[in-house]
Amino acid sequence: QVQLLESGGGLVQTGGSLRLSCVASGDTTCISHMAWYRQAPGKEREMVAAISSGGSTFYGDSVKGRFTISRDKIENKLYLQMLSLKPEDTAVYYCNADSLGVSSSICEYDYWGSGTQVTVSS
């Protein structure tokens, strides 16, 4: 199995910055894409940013130009650099990985971390 553990959340003021980290352990050969999702109270979970095995990135419209996703495949780590934070960014942020394209019967479709809280005060 794959385990994902997030860290780096916290409380910041509007305009501040945070860097989230996610470390993957277990059978990391199952991992293809990785992504960050977030969920605010009363709202559905949304994708914030994603990165492919080859390094292609995708960002949600609300964070384009402010957030940067990166990946260290050797260390099995995922990062999210968040700049110019807004109160609307307040949410629990989750690390995600999938096994798309991995030819192994032991790999599940996707994996989730338990989340890390980001709070942005006005």
Side-chain angles (χ1 to χ4, degrees):
Q1 294 185 329
V2 173
Q3 295 83 45
L4 303 175
L5 180 62
E6 304 96 335
S7 63
L11 173 64
V12 298
Q13 294 182 345
T14 297
S17 302
L18 282 174
R19 189 188 190 215
L20 305 184
S21 299
C22 170
V23 59
S25 59
D27 193 354
T28 57
T29 61
C30 289
I31 296 176
S32 182
H33 304 85
M34 298 192 77
W36 289 98
Y37 287 73
R38 68 185 182 188
Q39 187 167 24
K43 297 183 179 180
E44 295 184 347
R45 186 173 297 186
E46 64 173 340
M47 186 176 68
V48 175
I51 186 167
S52 72
S53 179
S56 298
T57 58
F58 174 86
Y59 296 93
D61 288 341
S62 64
V63 306
K64 287 181 179 177
R66 298 189 298 123
F67 291 9
T68 302
I69 189 171
S70 60
R71 180 178 183 177
D72 184 337
K73 297 185 69 176
I74 301 299
E75 298 292 334
N76 295 308
K77 293 180 178 179
L78 181 73
Y79 303 97
L80 184 67
Q81 180 67 58
M82 305 186 294
L83 306 179
S84 302
L85 284 163
K86 306 173 181 179
E88 305 93 276
D89 296 317
T90 296
V92 176
Y93 284 71
Y94 298 91
C95 181
N96 168 264
D98 70 38
S99 298
L100 183 64
V102 180
S103 299
S104 177
S105 62
I106 67 171
C107 298
E108 299 180 7
Y109 180 76
D110 64 358
Y111 307 90
W112 291 93
S114 296
T116 184
Q117 177 71 48
V118 171
T119 302
V120 184
S121 63
S122 60

